Amino acid sequence: MDFVLIDGKQVAGSVRERLKEEIAELKSRGHVPGLAVVLVGDDPASQVYVGSKVKACAELGIYSQKWELPAETSQEELVKLIHQLNADDRIHGILVQSPPPRHIDEEAVILNIDPRKDVDGFHPVNVAKLVLEDAAGFVPCTPLGCMELLKAYGVETAGKHAVVIGRSMIVGKPMAHLLMAKNANATVTVAHSRTKNLPELCRSADIIVAAVGRPEMVTADYVKEGAVVLDVGINRIEDASRPRGYRIVGDVAFDAVKDKCSYITPVPGGVGPMTIAMLMANTVKACRQLVG
Ligand code: NDP
């Protein structure tokens, strides 16, 4: 079957264009959206993510603060900074890059972020708002990006069976809630490591969202003809033929699966580019809601 390749870079680009207009409107009223990104420790991957987020802000004219704290920063010091950022009128969005060092209790830190500035959507108030379908809440950026991709390609979700593989608070659970919400109306099954007969279950899906963290786990055997497949996975696998010695693959065996799909996201270039675009969108939304 001819499949449509979902182009995350292009959709992320149009989200950014939309945001530029919103930012210009806010600026015309004297408001500049602001994001604070806090990194504790010197994990190289986290440094790259934080750098990309700050760069994305600069490209859109969003004010940003990058806080790089030493690995030995105490929980109290981190919480003190969060409180300072909660009170800073220039800052509308706050995120603490995950994962923090082991001695930091991430959930306790998140509880200290003003829910109105919680642009990652991790605070329990925002989790509740997602479940309550309160549009004023903040939804984690990656599942929000997946919904944006479905919308951009006009994929019908109402009455469809969606199987979400993975139940993390960052991807799987919010994804399931977004798909079952009254503005999407899918019938959702959430699968996880204890799910039995996963290939069979997935074969009954019109839409599969793979958020597992297992390289190329979803093979042709999981996919029915005409299904829509969104691959959230980002996995590094050894590849001696590459100068870096590795390559990035998703949770879906793309080459084996693509010809059965109506729509499929590649990795990289599918869901990945949407995450930062939606972080920018959440920051602009936070600004709009805070300044009225
Ligand atoms: P987690 O490790 O938090 O969750 C993985 C989920 O997959 C768990 O619910 C786990 O089940 C389930 N799982 C593990 N093995 C199996 C299996 N064999 N069969 C079925 N389910 C299984 O990962 P995340 O949700 O944080 O991330 C998932 C993937 O998405 C990763 O590759 C990550 O790198 C990527 N990611 C990509 C982002 C992007 O911007 N594109 C952003 C965030 C994540 P159980 O609960 O039972 O343990």
Side-chain angles (χ1 to χ4, degrees), residues 8-254:
K9 277 191 201 157
Q10 194 193 24
V11 180
S14 44
V15 169
R16 280 196 297 270
E17 288 309 310
R18 197 175 74 208
L19 291 176
K20 277 184 194 162
E21 288 171 24
E22 277 191 59
I23 293 165
E25 192 277 325
L26 282 162
K27 285 187 176 171
S28 73
R29 294 195 280 127
H31 306 296
V32 181
L35 175 69
V37 185
V38 182
L39 172 64
V40 187
D42 49 15
D43 175 58
S46 294
Q47 280 171 336
V48 172
Y49 292 140
V50 163
S52 319
K53 289 168 186 174
V54 170
K55 188 165 158 247
C57 286
E59 282 165 5
L60 287 178
I62 292 176
Y63 168 71
S64 69
Q65 290 181 2
K66 180 163 83 169
W67 292 85
E68 291 182 291
L69 309 179
E72 57 276 13
T73 302
S74 69
Q75 174 105 2
E76 291 68 32
E77 286 167 318
L78 179 56
V79 166
K80 199 171 154 210
L81 172 61
I82 302 288
H83 289 165
Q84 179 189 317
L85 296 170
N86 283 341
D88 188 335
D89 288 341
R90 296 168 302 173
I91 298 298
H92 308 99
I94 301 169
L95 79 83
V96 180
Q97 185 62 44
S98 193
R102 286 224 180 128
H103 66 278
I104 303 274
D105 176 349
E106 196 172 6
E107 282 177 28
V109 170
I110 289 165
L111 281 177
N112 284 278
I113 298 177
D114 181 338
R116 296 170 305 169
K117 296 190 175 186
D118 168 40
V119 285
D120 262 340
F122 295 162
H123 191 288
V125 165
N126 285 314
V127 177
K129 286 187 173 176
L130 170 61
V131 178
L132 292 165
E133 301 186 31
D134 177 344
F138 292 98
V139 176
C141 301
T142 302
L144 197 57
C146 289
M147 294 306 287
E148 194 72 31
L149 290 176
L150 294 175
K151 236 184 286 164
Y153 280 82
V155 172
E156 180 61 81
T157 51
K160 304 292 181 189
H161 181 209
V163 173
V164 177
I165 320 174
R167 57 177 164 183
S168 72
M169 292 304 293
I170 301 176
V171 191
K173 277 184 192 157
M175 188 74 230
H177 282 290
L178 289 169
L179 284 164
M180 78 169 85
K182 290 202 179 75
N183 60 6
N185 288 310
T187 303
V188 183
T189 304
V190 180
H192 46 76
S193 65
R194 306 293 178 90
T195 298
K196 293 219 162 58
N197 305 324
L198 185 57
E200 189 187 342
L201 182 69
C202 288
R203 278 198 299 277
S204 72
D206 304 301
I207 300 168
I208 297 175
V209 182
V212 193
R214 290 185 175 251
E216 303 182 324
M217 186 187 87
V218 175
T219 53
D221 186 36
Y222 284 59
V223 180
K224 84 168 171 196
E225 201 69 31
V228 176
V229 175
L230 300 184
D231 187 354
V232 179
I234 302 177
N235 309 292
R236 203 184 255 210
I237 58 166
E238 280 183 26
D239 184 343
S241 72
R242 303 285 171 105
R244 296 181 296 192
Y246 67 86
R247 68 193 155 94
I248 300 293
V249 299
D251 291 339
V252 175
F254 181 86

